[in-house]
Amino acid sequence: MFIDIPSELEAALIDLPLPTWELEGSFLAKSTMERFRTELTATPQFEETAVTLRHALTREDGGYAVLRLGNLAKALGTGNRFRRLVTGLAAEVAVPFSPFPRWPLWKDIGVKIDKDPGKSSGIGYNAFHMDLVNASLPPDYTTLLCVRPDPLGGGLSILSDAHAAVARLSENCRALLAESAYHYGTSFDLFGVGEEYGPFPVLDGSDPGEGFVRFTAKMLDRSELCQAHAESARELAEELVRGQVSFMLQPGDYLILNQRRFLHGREALHSGQETIPAADRRLLLQLFLRAAAGDGSAA
């Protein structure tokens, strides 16, 4: 699931000046996507790399990929030019968009030592979840671009195959997870993700191995659930941990996750974050993608 960029393609991308993007509402404009694609497909081995990426995300035993863009990040820096390039790569998978009107297309996920430790910008363990779990149309893909890993060596990314975890549960447990008994948080002022959804089923009624597994471990502590529903969710959380894979994102690594197949989280950052200047702490950039209808990943 780790994809290295061929050296010939790297060299061509370093010299490729992609145009500034434009948005249509909260989505990357079609005209921008077409311009990006025209420029990118003219580079050597780009099409082959894009096919490899899409295959990794959609094949039966796939669901995530990490594009190794470290050399490009070193050559270009991690500013606008590099981000345009990564946006163009993301657009080969699905349509980039921002569900948050107060944020630009790419959202910073830094480290705040006074934040709830379990949040994405906190310093503690961020348990398995899908992004925007309580939206009726969650993003099909969530993506994370590593600008800086934790300089103290913590913060491993953790992923788990949600459908494989569900398949290991008992029939009774799966039946309880399919009931509309779960809820988490509130949503407001969002674009492109439908309406607030709750209560919702963890399992959406799709055929086994398909559809969202609408889960966040935070609802175990922050939602009122009856004992049976809470226990079923807890069993799923344990199976997700049992089946997890973990790795450290390096500068320039770009993680793309199919939310219909995998859930994600993060191990705790290393102790001592307060000794690191804020500008030197771990920094990821997040971008969401919406699949086109009929491509095998859309609702």
Side-chain angles (χ1 to χ4, degrees):
M1 303 301 178
F2 290 80
I3 301 174
D4 292 311
I5 305 299
S7 57
E8 188 179 4
L9 176 57
E10 278 186 341
L13 293 177
I14 288 171
D15 295 328
L16 189 68
L18 291 176
T20 301
W21 64 65
E22 295 181 359
L23 300 181
E24 294 173 349
S26 59
F27 290 82
L28 190 67
K30 182 178 180 181
S31 59
T32 297
M33 293 181 64
E34 290 173 347
R35 291 180 67 190
F36 280 4
R37 176 147 240 279
T38 297
E39 296 289 341
L40 288 167
T41 53
T43 58
Q45 300 184 63
F46 177 78
E47 289 276 26
E48 297 90 335
T49 302
V51 168
T52 298
L53 172 61
R54 289 190 291 267
H55 183 60
L57 293 168
T58 58
R59 70 189 186 199
E60 186 174 348
D61 62 342
Y64 74 92
V66 178
L67 281 173
R68 288 288 173 83
L69 306 177
N71 291 336
L72 293 168
K74 288 179 182 177
L76 301 174
T78 55
N80 290 335
R81 189 175 171 192
F82 180 62
R83 295 181 195 188
R84 286 197 294 270
L85 177 58
V86 182
T87 303
L89 292 166
E92 289 295 309
V93 174
V95 183
F97 79 105
S98 172
F100 309 110
R102 62 189 181 278
W103 292 99
L105 192 62
W106 288 90
K107 175 186 175 184
D108 288 7
I109 300 179
V111 175
K112 299 177 181 178
I113 59 176
D114 57 349
K115 192 89 169 180
D116 178 343
K119 294 286 189 180
S120 59
S121 58
I123 62 174
Y125 175 67
N126 188 9
F128 280 113
H129 63 281
M130 67 172 290
D131 288 327
L132 296 167
V133 65
N134 60 335
S136 59
L137 294 172
D140 295 294
Y141 297 90
T142 185
T143 80
L144 295 166
L145 176 63
C146 180
V147 175
R148 287 188 303 274
D150 177 6
L152 297 179
L156 287 169
S157 295
I158 55 174
L159 309 179
S160 192
D161 183 332
H163 291 289
V166 168
R168 294 192 294 269
L169 298 173
S170 68
E171 184 176 348
N172 181 63
C173 185
R174 291 196 297 270
L176 287 164
L177 291 172
E179 295 179 1
S180 295
Y182 298 88
H183 49 92
Y184 174 73
T186 58
S187 61
F188 60 95
D189 197 20
L190 297 176
F191 291 153
V193 292
E195 305 297 328
E196 183 173 330
Y197 187 22
F200 52 80
V202 172
L203 306 182
D204 66 4
S206 300
D207 292 336
E210 298 182 4
F212 290 115
V213 176
R214 197 178 286 270
F215 178 81
T216 172
K218 295 183 180 70
M219 65 189 179
L220 292 170
D221 299 323
R222 304 181 189 182
S223 301
E224 293 183 4
L225 299 171
C226 75
Q227 183 176 350
H229 288 115
E231 185 58 34
S232 294
R234 193 167 292 109
E235 289 183 30
L236 175 55
E238 291 171 355
E239 287 299 331
L240 290 166
V241 172
R242 184 172 291 115
Q244 79 176 37
V245 295
S246 60
F247 47 83
M248 181 69 75
L249 291 174
Q250 301 299 324
D253 280 354
Y254 184 40
L255 169 64
I256 305 177
L257 186 85
N258 185 337
Q259 286 217 116
R260 294 178 181 273
R261 300 194 180 203
F262 273 76
L263 302 181
H264 68 289
R266 183 206 64 229
E267 298 285 3
L269 303 184
H270 198 283
S271 60
Q273 294 296 312
E274 69 281 356
T275 68
I276 303 173
D280 296 332
R281 294 174 188 155
R282 183 179 190 261
L283 176 61
L284 303 182
L285 303 178
Q286 186 172 47
L287 175 69
F288 295 104
L289 308 178
R290 170 69 67 212
D295 77 345
S297 299

